[in-house]
Amino acid sequence: MRHISRSSGIAMGMAMLAIAMPNTIAAQELPEAEADITVNGLPPADLSGLTEGPDIEGFISAREANRMRVTSPDGNSTAITLADATQIRASKGLFGINRSKLATDALLNGLPVTVKTVQWGEGLVASKINLRNKDLKTASMIRNGTAQGFAEQTAATEALRGRMGDIDKYNIKGTTNVYFDTGKWRLTSQAEGELCAAAAQAESMDNALLLVVGYTDSVGSQDYNQVLSERRAGRVVNFLQQACGWKPYRMLTPTGMAEADPLANNETREGKAQNRRVAVNVLVSKSVEGL
């Protein structure tokens, strides 16, 4: 793992009030008003002539008829229409090269997806939806899970919360920093490898938790950098849970710190590159360490 930032305590103090399950199937509960989706007409059978819309990445937070709502890591929610021409594919096999076609009934609540869209009227229509076969299996198992399975998961979560709920002091066992291009929150292949290595090392420690904190350099406004730092932290949390197998109930609430707590001088290009980062802190409570 990489060095521990002395000033990381500032960020951790803001994020240790609660243990959360961010961006996971089990933790997402939508308000009733948001779950309601109004269907207005049918999209065209041929989407090729429509203007391209934004790519949406997140998890399916609501489904109704030919509409779904996708919530991104930063909490933004987008309503998307499904058409007969919508292509739904699941990656499988080594490196996700092989893909299989799916029907719309495979789009389950809580499923992580990447959606290419086109503009239709005042809304968006999905032209392509990509997902991972292992995520689909997980979503299906949760949907069809037995009462015993849910009870075991709930018991594990509550047991950990009970031990950690009144504790506000932690030992920092290590910090891994991953870095980003200017204005971006996409992970590099190197960063992905480092994150799974950090998760594997933390897994070997009893009672370890992860605290993920996102940062930016000084370019841009405070509001922009706040959102950007939160998106970076959310992307890392998603990857740790979905690709590295880190359990959601062992994750503290992620935090975006914008350009605060820089590692290096923001007056230089090299310093800015070091500050465009997400810090993954491995924590063990002093009260449970050694149990």
Side-chain angles (χ1 to χ4, degrees):
M1 287 195 177
R2 306 199 177 182
H3 68 280
I4 300 170
S5 172
R6 295 181 181 177
S7 53
S8 62
I10 297 175
M12 287 185 287
M14 299 177 62
M16 293 179 184
L17 297 178
I19 294 177
M21 297 170 62
N23 300 317
T24 64
I25 297 171
Q28 302 297 334
E29 294 182 0
L30 293 176
E32 291 183 2
E34 188 175 6
D36 293 336
I37 302 176
T38 302
V39 179
N40 294 314
L42 295 175
D46 184 3
L47 305 178
S48 59
L50 299 180
T51 303
E52 289 189 4
D55 290 353
I56 308 296
E57 184 173 356
F59 68 94
I60 299 173
S61 51
R63 272 296 313 275
E64 181 179 340
N66 69 331
R67 298 269 281 179
M68 69 178 183
R69 189 176 296 277
V70 176
T71 299
S72 60
D74 58 9
N76 290 330
S77 183
T78 305
I80 303 173
T81 298
L82 304 173
D84 290 339
T86 300
Q87 300 179 26
I88 306 171
R89 296 182 179 273
S91 62
K92 59 181 178 179
L94 185 63
F95 306 119
I97 296 176
N98 298 321
R99 291 182 174 272
S100 58
K101 295 181 180 180
L102 300 173
T104 56
D105 58 4
L107 300 175
L108 303 176
N109 281 333
L111 183 66
V113 292
T114 301
V115 185
K116 289 187 175 296
T117 68
V118 293
Q119 298 178 10
W120 177 55
E122 297 181 356
L124 298 174
V125 177
S127 57
K128 294 182 180 180
I129 301 175
N130 293 320
L131 54 99
R132 297 188 303 180
N133 195 52
K134 67 177 184 178
D135 289 335
L136 178 58
K137 290 181 179 179
T138 300
S140 298
M141 285 189 293
I142 289 177
R143 181 176 182 179
N144 301 315
T146 65
Q148 179 182 359
F150 284 118
E152 291 173 353
Q153 174 70 16
T154 301
T157 302
E158 293 304 319
L160 184 60
R161 284 180 175 171
R163 289 160 55 193
M164 308 298 292
D166 298 326
I167 300 170
D168 59 0
K169 294 183 179 179
Y170 295 80
N171 286 327
I172 303 173
K173 310 304 290 186
T175 298
T176 296
N177 289 312
V178 294
Y179 301 93
F180 297 82
D181 292 333
T182 301
K184 305 296 183 182
W185 58 92
R186 183 175 297 277
L187 292 168
T188 65
S189 58
Q190 177 181 347
E192 291 177 346
E194 292 174 350
L195 288 174
C196 283
Q201 185 170 350
E203 185 65 37
S204 66
M205 304 178 191
D206 291 337
N207 305 304
L209 303 175
L210 293 185
L211 171 63
V212 176
V213 186
Y215 301 90
T216 69
D217 57 25
S218 58
V219 177
S221 67
Q222 173 65 27
D223 289 343
Y224 174 84
N225 284 335
Q226 181 61 42
V227 172
L228 180 58
S229 65
E230 291 172 358
R231 286 180 173 175
R232 287 172 175 169
R235 186 61 176 265
V236 167
V237 166
N238 281 349
F239 186 81
L240 285 168
Q241 294 176 177
Q242 297 168 6
C244 305
W246 189 257
K247 297 296 187 296
Y249 59 84
R250 297 179 65 187
M251 183 81 69
L252 293 172
T253 305
T255 301
M257 291 293 290
E259 58 192 75
D261 194 20
L263 277 181
N265 189 345
N266 269 313
E267 299 301 319
T268 67
R269 183 169 65 178
E270 293 78 10
K272 289 178 180 178
Q274 293 184 58
N275 293 331
R276 296 190 300 268
R277 72 194 192 279
V278 166
V280 179
N281 303 281
V282 180
L283 308 178
V284 176
S285 168
K286 294 178 179 179
S287 297
V288 299
E289 188 171 15
L291 290 179

